């Protein structure tokens, strides 16, 4: 385990920098001069600082912060060494931002539950290289990470499809590429380097501040991958819950829309029926006659249905036409009387039952009568009895 002296740069809450991560950080005025001096003293070398998160004193409720985003709290014992790879200045030579590149985990050597002067040198230690995680831990990490990256890619694709503008398309394409590259990196990486990949993934999945700080404190590859698996599993469960809530909301919205469409259809159907007001007016003038007409109409409907039922019963059992006729007849009985569909089904049944099916009992009786040898003799006798003369016509008919 090696050690070094680094100027400590406290990070605004809830920022945490990981090895390999690049972050653009706005510079408060109180940090501007020390950072400019640090960069000047580096003499064209890349200056390195210790980026330490701040643990807020208030654990629950809203955490107040000053105008620069810094909260009242203590330095974390663990952080990350970072290079200052870029310095941004305004036209008035005021330092506006710096770009930090995470390098390696660090631990404050003489950590106390307080905070020191910003960018003052402190003794830090670097964790020693440790053996790789077990195959079981690595396999669990690959599995949950693959599921999470796939779900994130699907959600980004859905958001991208929802936006038709060019900006949404470009941003969606960029995020799709990022998730695809991370997924490929997880699949192809060796177990010995998998903890490095986890350092790249954890900052991108929206982990909680406490989980990030705890993850940063682990030097062991086994513990690091186990914690990353726990964080990713929690994030995956949260996304599944959100997805189910969105699905329920979508179903509720669909139900509302369908109910509105059904109400509109019912209003349109009511305009096609006879007006209730006209019927009531006629009923006031001809009360008894209207009752008789209604009763007669009901009796006519029942008689028509009974006639249909008799015709269906005359069809051969098991025949296709009988099966279809029974199905449509049942459908007709279930449809409300005022529905437009009633006339459609009734006309179809009338047409279906008017066809002389070879399987019907009436048609079979007619066929037997025609095939009888005495049929022509009786037909000639009937023609001679009903019509005088017309011999040529009778011969053509016979």
């Amino acid at each position: 385990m090696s050690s070094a002296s680094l100027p400590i740069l406290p990070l605004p809450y809830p920022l945490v920098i990981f090895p390999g991560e690049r972050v653009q950080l706005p510079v408060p005025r109180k940090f501007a001069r020390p950072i400019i001096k640090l960069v000047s003293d580096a003499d064209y070398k890349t200056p390195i600082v210790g980026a330490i998160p701040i643990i807020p004193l208030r654990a629950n409720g809203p955490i107040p912060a000053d105008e620069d985003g810094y909260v009242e709290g203590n330095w974390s014992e663990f952080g990350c060494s970072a290079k200052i790879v870029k310095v941004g200045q305004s036209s008035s030579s005021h330092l506006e931002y710096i770009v930090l590149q995470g390098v390696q985990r660090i631990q404050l050597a003489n950590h106390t539950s307080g905070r020191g002067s910003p960018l003052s040198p402190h003794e830090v230690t670097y964790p020693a290289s440790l053996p790789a995680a077990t195959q079981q831990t690595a396999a669990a990490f690959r599995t949950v990470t693959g599921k999470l990256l796939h779900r994130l890619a699907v959600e980004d694709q859905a958001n991208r499809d929802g936006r038709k503008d060019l900006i949404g398309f470009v941003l969606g394409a960029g995020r799709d590429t990022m998730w695809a590259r991370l997924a490929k990196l997880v699949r192809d990486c060796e177990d010995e380097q998998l903890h490095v990949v986890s350092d790249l993934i954890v900052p991108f999945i929206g982990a909680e501040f406490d989980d990030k700080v705890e993850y940063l404190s682990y030097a062991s590859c086994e513990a690091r991958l186990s914690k990353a698996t726990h964080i990713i599993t929690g994030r995956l469960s949260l996304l599944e819950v959100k997805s189910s809530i969105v699905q329920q909301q979508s179903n509720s919205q669909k139900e509302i829309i369908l109910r509105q469409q059904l109400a509109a259809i019912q209003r349109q159907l009511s305009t096609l029926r006879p007006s209730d007001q006209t019927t009531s007016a006629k009923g006031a003038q001809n009360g008894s006659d209207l009752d008789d007409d209604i009763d007669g109409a009901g009796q006519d409907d029942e008689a028509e249905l009974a006639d249909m039922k008799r015709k269906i019963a005359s069809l051969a059992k098991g025949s296709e036409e009988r099966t279809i006729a029974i199905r449509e007849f049942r459908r007709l009985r279930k449809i409300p009387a005022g529905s437009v569909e009633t006339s459609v089904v009734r006309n179809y049944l009338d047409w279906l039952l008017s066809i002389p099916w070879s399987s019907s009992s009436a048609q079979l009786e007619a066929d037997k009568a025609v095939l009888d040898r005495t049929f022509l003799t009786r037909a000639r006798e009937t023609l001679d009895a009903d019509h005088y003369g017309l011999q040529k016509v009778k011969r053509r008919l016979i």
Side-chain angles (χ1 to χ4, degrees):
M1 180 178 294
S2 59
S3 61
S5 178
L6 293 179
I8 301 301
L9 176 64
L11 302 175
Y13 178 84
L15 181 61
V16 180
I17 296 180
F18 291 87
E21 184 182 9
R22 177 170 290 199
V23 177
Q24 179 174 314
L25 182 66
V27 177
R29 291 184 178 273
K30 58 184 177 182
F31 291 172
R33 285 190 176 182
I35 291 178
I36 292 175
K37 184 176 185 303
L38 179 65
V39 173
S40 301
D41 295 343
D43 194 18
Y44 299 104
K45 295 181 181 179
T46 303
I48 299 179
V49 297
I52 299 296
I54 296 180
I55 309 297
L57 297 179
R58 181 180 299 183
N60 299 322
I63 301 175
D66 58 16
E67 58 182 4
D68 297 321
Y70 286 84
V71 301
E72 184 180 358
N74 301 322
W75 289 359
S76 172
E77 182 180 359
F78 299 91
C80 180
S81 61
K83 298 179 180 179
I84 302 179
V85 296
K86 187 177 181 180
V87 176
Q89 293 181 337
S90 62
S91 57
S92 59
S93 300
H94 174 66
L95 185 62
E96 291 188 346
Y97 68 90
I98 58 175
V99 178
L100 299 178
Q101 177 75 44
V103 179
Q104 189 178 358
R105 281 173 170 77
I106 59 174
Q107 180 180 2
L108 295 179
N110 299 317
H111 177 262
T112 59
S113 59
R115 54 192 302 179
S117 300
L119 294 170
S120 58
H122 282 72
E123 191 75 15
V124 299
T125 57
Y126 297 96
S129 58
L130 298 173
T134 61
Q135 294 182 354
Q136 182 179 2
T137 304
F141 173 77
R142 293 180 194 273
T143 301
V144 298
T145 304
K147 292 181 180 179
L148 178 63
L149 294 177
H150 174 70
R151 179 172 288 275
L152 291 174
V154 170
E155 289 188 356
D156 282 343
Q157 181 65 35
N159 296 332
R160 176 183 173 186
D161 294 339
R163 294 190 61 175
K164 302 302 181 182
D165 55 327
L166 180 60
I167 296 178
F169 180 83
V170 173
L171 292 178
R175 292 180 65 87
D176 290 346
T177 304
M178 180 184 69
W179 300 131
R181 288 180 177 178
L182 287 176
K184 185 177 185 302
L185 190 60
V186 172
R187 291 193 305 267
D188 299 342
C189 182
E190 299 292 337
D191 291 349
E192 291 77 8
Q193 298 296 325
L194 201 58
H195 63 280
V196 179
V197 178
S198 68
D199 288 345
L200 298 177
I201 293 177
V202 170
F204 284 100
I205 61 175
E208 298 292 336
F209 173 77
D210 294 339
D211 289 333
K212 289 182 179 180
V213 174
E214 182 180 355
Y215 173 79
L216 194 62
S217 65
Y218 293 135
S220 168
C221 299
E222 177 76 17
R224 201 182 303 176
L225 284 185
S226 298
K227 181 60 180 179
T229 302
H230 175 74
I231 295 174
I232 295 172
T233 302
R235 179 63 175 169
L236 185 60
S237 301
L238 181 61
L239 289 177
E240 291 176 353
V241 171
K242 289 183 178 179
S243 177
S244 63
I245 294 175
V246 171
Q247 183 65 29
Q248 292 176 1
Q249 293 177 348
S250 177
N251 292 336
S252 300
Q253 293 175 355
K254 288 181 181 178
E255 182 179 359
I256 294 174
I257 294 174
L258 290 176
R259 288 186 181 276
Q260 292 176 350
Q261 292 177 350
L262 180 60
I265 292 173
Q266 290 176 347
R267 288 193 298 270
Q268 293 179 2
L269 289 177
S270 64
T271 60
L272 300 177
R273 303 172 186 170
S275 174
D276 295 338
Q277 296 178 355
T278 305
T279 304
S280 61
K282 290 183 179 179
Q285 298 175 359
N286 306 304
S288 59
D289 294 340
L290 181 59
D291 293 338
D292 294 340
D293 292 341
I294 292 176
D295 294 339
Q299 293 174 0
D300 292 341
D301 291 340
E302 292 297 332
E304 290 181 5
L305 293 177
D307 184 56
M308 285 184 181
K309 190 174 182 181
R310 179 182 57 79
K311 291 180 180 179
I312 294 173
S314 66
L315 298 175
K317 294 182 178 181
S319 61
E320 185 177 0
E321 57 271 14
R322 180 188 175 96
T323 303
I324 295 176
I326 292 174
R327 183 189 65 192
E328 295 299 323
F329 185 77
R330 291 176 177 174
R331 181 182 173 191
L332 179 63
R333 297 296 296 267
K334 294 179 180 179
I335 297 175
S339 176
V340 179
E341 194 176 3
T342 304
S343 61
V344 178
V345 178
R346 186 185 291 270
N347 292 336
Y348 176 73
L349 270 175
D350 290 338
W351 170 82
L352 182 66
L353 297 175
S354 66
I355 298 176
W357 300 102
S358 59
S359 61
S360 64
S361 58
Q363 186 64 28
L364 290 176
E365 293 177 0
D367 292 343
K368 288 181 181 180
V370 173
L371 294 176
D372 190 1
R373 293 182 179 182
T374 63
F375 175 76
L376 294 178
T377 303
R378 288 186 285 106
R380 181 58 187 255
E381 293 176 352
T382 302
L383 289 174
D384 290 339
D386 294 341
H387 305 281
Y388 178 77
L390 304 175
Q391 298 301 323
K392 292 184 179 180
V393 176
K394 292 176 183 179
R395 281 196 299 270
R396 291 186 64 182
L397 291 176
I398 297 300

